[in-house]
Amino acid sequence: MRLHSLHLQAFGPFAGRHSIDFDALTADGLFLLHGDTGAGKSTLFAAICFALYGYPPRERNARLRSDHAPADLLTEVTLEATIAGKRLQIRRVPAQRKPHSRRPGEFVDHKAETDLKQWTEDQHGQGHWEGISSAHKEAGKEIEALLSLNRQQFCQVVLLPQNDFTKFLRADASERRVLLGTLFGTRRFGRIEEFLAERKTATAKRRDEARADVMRLAERIQQAAGDELDPATGAPRPDDPATLTDQARLWATALHQQAATLQQAATAGTESARRLLDDCRTTEQRTRDLHRLQQTHHTTTQELTQLDERTDHYTQLSNRHDRARTARQLETVLDDAHTADRDHSLALAADTHARTLLPAEHAAQDANTLAEAAQEVHGNIGAAQALLPDEAALQKHTDELAALSKERDELAATVTDAQDWLDGLPQLRETLTARLQASRTAQEAGRELTVTLSAVTTQCEAAARRDGLLVQAAAADEVLTRTTGVLNEAATAYITIRRRRTDGIVAELADRLKDGESCPVCGSATHPAPATPQSGQPTAADEQAAEAAHTAAEQKEKEARQRLGSLQQEAAEARGRAGGDTPLADLEARRTELTDRLHQALAKAADAGPAEEELTRLQQQQTDHEHTRNTAQQRLGAIDATYDSLHTQRETLSRRLTAALDQHITLADRITHLTQLAEQLETTAKYTAAAARTTTDLRTATQRAEQAAQAAGFASPAEATGALLPDDDLARISEELTNWREQRLVLAAHLDQPDLKNAAAQPPAGLEHAVAELEKATTAHSQATSVETQATTRLTALATLSTQLDTFTQSLEPLEAAYRTVDHLHGLISGGSLSNQLRMQLESYVLAARLEDVVDAANTRLTRMSNHRFTLVHSDERAARGAKSGLGLKVLDAWSGHQRHTDTLSGGESFYVSLSLALGLADIVTAEAGGQALDTLFIDEGFGTLDDDTLHQVLDVLDSLRDHDRTVGVISHVAEMRRRITQRLHVRKSPVGSTLVHVTEAAE
């Protein structure tokens, strides 16, 4: 990625429009951003990140809009850069508030905008910008795909903000793996591991299903074997997969052989029980036949005796049958007399009932008089029907007057309500206006509180860091005091031992003398009086041990002093950001107060929209109420005139109908009453004539019936009627007499049969004993048959299940072998297998080789920066607690000869080691065929932690980047940086916003 230009406006501390020509700024490969604290140096890098990804470097979405910018100037960032060989223009506008175009003093929401374009040339060589996307997500995905880095990775490798510079150096293996995998394109090796993991899971699933099938089939075999066999011995177990194949087949075969032996024994028992059952059945059938004949002879004799006992009853029944047949010949004459009597009774009852319904003046009149009265009533009905239209008109007028009266009342209420609302309108308008003004005031207060709260929040964070660093510094001071004491003691011990050894060096030399050998001091071959060592004389090993202890104590004291100095420096920086020594509790209380005030202001400001909408609705409601009141008043005048006219017409019709109603409510009631009276008069006249006619008919029919009954031998018609029987009863009696005679003849003939006589002469048959013996034989046969059936069923089931078990176990064996193979491969590649002693994953193994290249490239610069003291070392030693290995980093300290963890480096050491690592990473990624070229690197602060000599060494390394077409941009307050770097961008701050000035050595 190479930057060409950056245009920003109203962004962060930059209130106006500003442009940066990176082509000119990066001409020397190295440029510097410098300026006062808070001027906005880091904001430029934030603008680059925002242009590329739509978000600033930090996770939280910081406030992007400048507080100093004019209200009508939108916050906007435009970046031109070449990424993966494509020259792109990226323009982004964050969501923000802007002035209303038609309502001064009001603001509206402006939606976020994104515009991604690419520079293209046509066939004639003419270039132009061609739009790619205007969607936020689509543009972000396109840029991320071209860079092959997400926002976090970009900030970790390319854009190194404050406090994040050493993140890659101190990252764990998993974090390095993600970043390096993205940069070097080694995801295919991870996919191999994923493929094997999926294959292992799928194979395990199929194997477990096959195991479950074998176990389910084994359970079915156990159930089929039952309690008579021994199915538990040698049965397969789920906790021992080795029993699920060969052992399972042997177990099933043994059960099948046991079942075959039991089935043969059951078949022999069933055949013996069957022969006994056949003999019992023959005996039982002969005894049952004899018992049946004896029972039949006894039952027939009893039935014949019972028929003879009812001879008198059937004689009386025969006499009754003969009288009924004689009375049936008089049935016609008797029915006529009965019908005449019934008709006469009905006619008298109807006449009596009809007269009870008539008015008193008509109750005693004869049939002719009643008919004349009915004709008179019909005339009155016609007169009443003629007045029905007048009655309908009266009802219509009454209904219309009621409706008009109701509408008149409603209109009067409407006029009153509308006027009452209009009278209260000024008070409502005044209240809403006050609400709107209060909301707008709260909006302005909210903007001011937001700025203040942001500053106080920054102070709180710095104060918390200050307090924590002070605690650490106090602890570091105690450590320094202890290490200083240890150093003093080690130095004293070392000096004492060295002095004592020097004093006793003569005895040590004398101890080495041998007779005949020359003395190294005097040269004599004789040694008449050599010195002897004193008691407790220290040796050379004692002196070396004391020296090593002194050196170690000195190193620890130095590290403790450097640690204390680093913490004190960081605490001082944090104190400056916190605004001094103001207690954290006071700052947090201030932040809480500002937060509460901001929430209150925002709550009030949120009422602006509803208040404005209610004012608009209030104006519309005023128009509606005025229109309602005027319309109701006009309608009320028209209704009053109509009401008076209808009232006069109703009074005239009411007087005309009063006389015709004759105290009835309506004409319909009057007509109904007259109609009913006419019908009653006519009906009564008809019933009176019918009663006179039936009296004559009754007298004639009665005389004929008495004469016919006496002639037939009955004393009266009533006696003849009593002798009559219905046809069904007469037929039933005749059938009953016939059946009685026929049954006697049949029973007598049945008793004369020879087989019944012979059976009656024999002793009683023993049927119960024969039946009991048959039941015993039947039960025994059923039990034997059941045992045989169960044995046969069990044998068949075991044969079938054993065959299925063979099939299942044969299917399980290759699955077990396949799972063992894929499990071993997956464990080996994923680092989980014991065979992989380093617990290194395949992708980590590949990346470890790349990391070794990165370390080699980093060490070429680190050696110069650290004056040959530090060297990065790639570590593939096994990680603790089972973690994956292969991507570890350590630092070899040439002064001590030991490898150190990266988190033991001081602030300055961490800075230039991380810088070397970042530069080495960029070199290797650029050289890697599948990687994305990282030819731009940004560093935000960190140079202030370097001493003068180290700073010169680091700057020499950065100067050397110009020979490799590499661009590095740095931010620093260090004066030496401004003297060494010729291309600089000076950021100046002022009360109205920051500005940018491109400064070169020639310009100065």
Side-chain angles (χ1 to χ4, degrees):
M1 180 187 73
R2 180 170 296 278
L3 305 182
H4 299 295
S5 65
L6 176 68
H7 305 277
L8 68 160
Q9 61 184 34
F11 190 89
F14 301 98
R17 295 182 174 89
H18 303 275
S19 298
I20 302 174
D21 186 356
F22 280 106
D23 288 334
L25 187 62
T26 61
D28 293 340
L30 183 66
F31 66 92
L32 172 70
L33 269 75
H34 64 95
D36 298 332
T37 301
K41 302 183 295 298
S42 300
T43 303
L44 296 178
F45 291 162
I48 294 172
C49 185
F50 173 72
L52 291 172
Y53 294 97
Y55 295 96
R58 296 295 181 183
E59 289 297 331
R60 63 180 185 272
N61 191 5
R63 177 179 174 84
L64 302 179
R65 178 158 181 81
S66 174
D67 295 327
H68 307 288
D72 58 348
L73 183 63
L74 288 177
T75 298
E76 179 180 325
V77 175
T78 302
L79 176 68
E80 289 187 22
T82 297
I83 304 175
K86 297 182 179 180
R87 180 155 183 161
L88 303 176
Q89 183 186 79
I90 311 146
R91 174 180 172 271
R92 291 190 186 269
V93 179
Q96 54 195 291
R97 302 276 290 175
K98 69 176 183 179
H100 198 287
S101 59
R102 296 185 299 276
R103 300 175 185 171
E106 297 185 12
F107 288 82
V108 296
D109 292 330
H110 184 85
K111 295 182 178 179
E113 299 179 11
T114 298
D115 189 13
L116 177 61
K117 297 179 180 179
Q118 180 179 349
W119 182 261
T120 59
E121 295 183 357
D122 56 20
Q123 57 184 356
H124 302 294
Q126 300 295 325
H128 64 280
W129 290 109
E130 181 178 350
I132 298 177
S133 175
S134 60
H136 307 301
K137 292 184 178 180
E138 184 179 359
K141 290 181 179 179
E142 177 70 19
I143 295 173
E144 185 172 328
L146 292 174
L147 284 173
S148 298
L149 296 171
N150 58 30
R151 180 167 60 95
Q152 289 77 13
Q153 295 168 340
F154 178 81
C155 295
Q156 192 173 3
V157 177
V158 179
L159 180 61
L160 305 178
Q162 295 182 25
N163 304 322
D164 285 351
F165 194 79
T166 61
K167 185 176 292 185
F168 179 73
L169 175 66
R170 296 176 177 174
D172 58 24
S174 60
E175 294 174 344
R176 288 198 188 103
R177 176 183 176 183
V178 173
L179 177 62
L180 294 175
T182 302
L183 293 174
F184 291 107
T186 59
R187 186 69 189 107
R188 60 188 183 277
F189 300 103
R191 284 194 290 269
I192 294 175
E193 180 180 345
E194 293 173 359
F195 166 76
L196 287 175
E198 295 173 357
R199 184 67 175 269
K200 175 183 175 182
T201 301
T203 305
K205 180 180 180 182
R206 293 196 302 272
R207 181 208 61 184
D208 292 343
E209 290 175 352
R211 286 181 175 180
D213 290 340
V214 172
M215 285 306 304
R216 283 194 295 269
L217 198 58
E219 291 174 359
R220 292 176 59 190
I221 291 175
Q222 288 179 329
Q223 293 174 357
D227 298 333
E228 294 184 56
L229 305 182
D230 188 9
T233 303
R237 303 194 311 274
D239 58 343
D240 187 1
T243 64
L244 299 180
T245 51
D246 294 337
Q247 182 176 331
R249 289 194 290 268
L250 294 175
W251 167 75
T253 302
L255 289 178
H256 181 263
Q257 292 174 353
Q258 294 179 35
T261 302
L262 293 178
Q263 193 272 342
Q264 292 173 0
T267 301
T270 302
E271 180 62 24
S272 176
R274 185 188 61 78
R275 290 194 297 270
L276 177 60
L277 177 60
D278 291 341
D279 295 341
C280 291
R281 281 176 177 171
T282 302
T283 303
E284 189 270 343
Q285 185 61 43
R286 289 197 300 268
T287 304
R288 184 176 297 279
D289 292 341
L290 177 61
H291 180 270
R292 178 178 54 77
L293 291 174
Q294 290 176 345
Q295 286 295 107
T296 300
H297 182 275
H298 178 70
T299 301
T300 303
T301 302
Q302 287 182 340
E303 291 177 355
L304 183 59
T305 301
Q306 292 174 358
L307 289 177
D308 290 342
E309 289 175 353
R310 301 192 66 186
T311 301
D312 293 340
H313 165 70
Y314 286 106
T315 301
Q316 295 175 3
L317 193 62
S318 178
N319 293 333
R320 183 183 176 189
H321 179 267
D322 294 339
R323 283 176 59 83
R325 292 177 62 84
T326 302
R328 180 175 290 277
Q329 298 175 0
L330 303 175
E331 189 174 5
T332 302
V333 177
L334 295 175
D335 287 344
D336 291 343
H338 177 70
T339 299
D341 181 64
R342 184 190 60 199
D343 292 344
H344 178 62
S345 298
L346 292 175
L348 287 177
D351 179 57
T352 302
H353 176 70
R355 288 184 180 276
T356 60
L357 301 177
L358 292 176
E361 65 269 19
H362 300 295
Q365 293 176 350
D366 57 13
N368 293 331
T369 305
L370 291 172
E372 292 174 357
Q375 290 297 326
E376 182 179 356
V377 171
H378 281 298
N380 294 334
I381 291 173
Q385 289 176 340
L387 294 175
L388 285 174
D390 291 343
E391 184 184 43
L394 176 63
Q395 183 61 41
K396 178 180 178 183
H397 292 341
T398 301
D399 295 341
E400 290 176 351
L401 286 172
L404 290 173
S405 178
K406 180 179 179 181
E407 185 177 1
R408 185 165 56 180
D409 294 342
E410 292 175 352
L411 289 172
T414 299
V415 171
T416 301
D417 293 343
Q419 189 60 47
D420 291 344
W421 189 90
L422 291 172
D423 292 341
L425 177 61
Q427 181 63 34
L428 292 174
R429 182 179 286 110
E430 182 179 354
T431 301
L432 289 175
T433 302
R435 276 178 57 192
L436 181 59
Q437 184 61 35
S439 299
R440 291 175 177 172
T441 302
Q443 287 178 345
E444 295 298 327
R447 297 188 184 95
E448 297 176 358
L449 287 170
T450 300
V451 177
T452 305
L453 179 60
S454 177
V456 173
T457 299
T458 302
Q459 287 181 325
C460 286
E461 296 172 352
R465 176 170 174 76
R466 175 201 65 197
D467 295 345
L469 289 171
L470 288 176
V471 172
Q472 297 179 32
D477 187 55
E478 295 179 359
V479 173
L480 177 60
T481 301
R482 290 196 301 270
T483 55
T484 301
V486 173
L487 175 61
N488 293 334
E489 294 175 358
T492 301
Y494 174 56
I495 292 172
T496 301
I497 291 175
R498 185 175 180 84
R499 185 179 64 253
R500 289 177 60 196
R501 183 168 181 268
T502 301
D503 294 342
I505 196 66
V506 176
E508 185 175 339
L509 291 174
D511 187 54
R512 300 176 185 174
L513 295 177
K514 295 182 179 179
D515 293 336
E517 294 181 0
S518 299
C519 175
V521 177
C522 64
S524 174
T526 61
H527 316 293
T532 59
Q534 300 295 325
S535 176
Q537 175 70 29
T539 63
D542 295 335
E543 182 181 1
Q544 293 174 358
E547 181 181 11
H550 174 262
T551 302
E554 188 178 26
Q555 178 63 27
K556 290 183 179 179
E557 191 270 345
K558 180 180 179 181
E559 292 176 355
R561 189 177 301 279
Q562 291 175 348
R563 170 67 174 167
L564 177 60
S566 176
L567 290 173
Q568 289 175 341
Q569 180 180 355
E570 293 180 9
E573 293 177 357
R575 183 183 293 108
R577 297 191 194 99
D581 293 324
T582 304
L584 176 60
D586 294 345
L587 291 174
E588 290 179 341
R590 173 62 173 162
R591 180 173 61 181
T592 302
E593 176 192 358
L594 290 173
T595 301
D596 294 340
R597 289 173 57 191
L598 177 60
H599 290 167
Q600 295 172 3
L602 293 177
K604 289 183 180 179
D607 191 40
E612 184 176 357
E613 294 177 358
E614 291 185 26
L615 275 173
T616 303
R617 286 197 300 270
L618 191 65
Q619 181 64 34
Q620 182 60 39
Q621 290 174 352
Q622 177 184 0
T623 303
D624 295 342
H625 280 82
E626 290 176 349
H627 176 72
T628 301
R629 181 193 61 189
N630 297 336
T631 303
Q633 287 175 344
Q634 295 174 0
R635 175 63 179 162
L636 190 59
I639 287 177
D640 288 340
T642 304
Y643 185 87
D644 294 340
S645 174
L646 288 174
H647 186 269
T648 302
Q649 297 177 24
R650 187 184 69 173
E651 291 299 322
T652 301
L653 291 173
S654 179
R655 288 192 297 271
R656 185 186 307 167
L657 292 173
T658 300
L661 290 174
D662 190 20
Q663 299 182 354
H664 288 84
I665 297 176
T666 63
L667 283 176
D669 294 341
R670 171 68 172 162
I671 293 172
T672 300
H673 172 71
L674 292 175
T675 301
Q676 291 175 352
L677 178 58
E679 292 177 353
Q680 290 172 356
L681 291 171
E682 292 174 347
T683 301
T684 304
K686 181 180 65 175
Y687 287 158
T688 300
R693 184 177 64 257
T694 56
T695 300
T696 302
D697 294 341
L698 177 60
R699 188 180 303 109
T700 303
T702 301
Q703 290 176 357
R704 286 204 307 267
E706 289 177 350
Q707 293 174 359
Q710 292 174 1
F714 295 103
S716 64
E719 183 180 350
T721 301
L724 286 172
L725 291 173
D727 291 343
D728 292 342
D729 291 347
L730 192 63
R732 179 180 56 77
I733 292 173
S734 178
E735 183 178 1
E736 187 176 354
L737 290 171
T738 302
N739 289 338
W740 176 70
R741 297 186 185 97
E742 291 177 352
Q743 288 177 8
R744 287 188 78 260
L745 294 175
V746 170
L747 291 174
H750 194 47
L751 287 175
D752 289 336
Q753 292 180 359
D755 54 347
L756 290 181
K757 290 180 179 181
N758 293 333
Q762 296 181 20
L767 181 61
E768 294 181 358
H769 177 72
V771 170
E773 292 297 323
L774 178 60
E775 289 178 353
K776 290 180 182 179
T778 302
T779 302
H781 180 265
S782 298
Q783 292 174 351
T785 303
S786 176
V787 170
E788 181 186 13
T789 301
Q790 292 176 359
T792 302
T793 302
R794 177 174 55 205
L795 181 62
T796 304
L798 289 176
T800 302
L801 293 174
S802 297
T803 303
Q804 295 178 5
L805 184 64
D806 289 340
T807 303
F808 284 1
T809 54
Q810 291 173 5
S811 300
L812 176 59
E813 288 173 344
L815 290 175
E816 293 282 4
Y819 177 77
R820 287 192 297 270
T821 300
V822 72
D823 179 56
H824 175 71
L825 289 175
H826 176 261
L828 191 63
I829 290 179
S830 65
S833 173
L834 295 178
S835 300
N836 189 338
Q837 297 179 358
L838 295 179
R839 299 187 61 82
M840 187 183 299
Q841 296 171 279
L842 177 62
E843 186 176 4
S844 298
Y845 178 78
V846 176
L847 291 176
R850 298 294 188 274
L851 185 57
E852 288 178 353
D853 296 338
V854 172
V855 168
D856 292 341
N859 284 332
T860 60
R861 298 183 176 92
L862 179 58
T863 302
R864 294 175 58 189
M865 290 183 185
S866 64
N867 196 18
H868 299 279
R869 178 183 179 184
F870 292 126
T871 305
L872 278 170
V873 178
H874 165 239
S875 173
D876 56 4
E877 66 181 12
R878 181 168 178 174
R881 292 183 295 277
K884 298 298 186 291
S885 309
L887 297 178
L889 283 177
K890 290 186 178 181
V891 178
L892 176 62
D893 190 342
W895 289 3
S896 65
H898 297 292
Q899 293 184 3
R900 298 167 54 181
H901 290 285
T902 56
D903 54 4
T904 64
L905 298 174
S906 66
E909 292 170 346
S910 296
F911 171 76
Y912 64 72
V913 171
S914 299
L915 178 58
S916 300
L917 186 62
L919 294 174
L921 181 64
D923 289 340
I924 300 304
V925 171
T926 302
E928 178 71 22
Q932 177 58 248
L934 302 179
D935 48 11
T936 302
L937 182 67
F938 298 98
I939 307 170
D940 189 353
E941 288 299 350
F943 294 93
T945 61
L946 306 178
D947 55 65
D948 292 340
D949 292 339
T950 304
L951 177 62
H952 284 291
Q953 293 166 358
V954 171
L955 288 177
D956 289 342
V957 172
L958 294 179
D959 283 338
S960 67
L961 296 176
R962 305 178 185 183
D963 299 332
H964 300 283
D965 196 23
R966 182 72 51 77
T967 297
V968 178
V970 297
I971 292 179
S972 180
H973 299 87
V974 179
E976 180 64 21
M977 303 289 285
R978 293 195 293 274
R979 288 191 294 270
R980 291 287 302 270
I981 301 176
T982 58
Q983 296 290 340
R984 303 193 298 274
L985 190 65
H986 188 191
V987 185
R988 299 191 179 100
K989 67 178 182 180
S990 69
V992 296
S994 298
T995 58
L996 297 171
V997 178
H998 184 187
V999 181
T1000 63
E1001 186 177 22
E1004 287 187 342

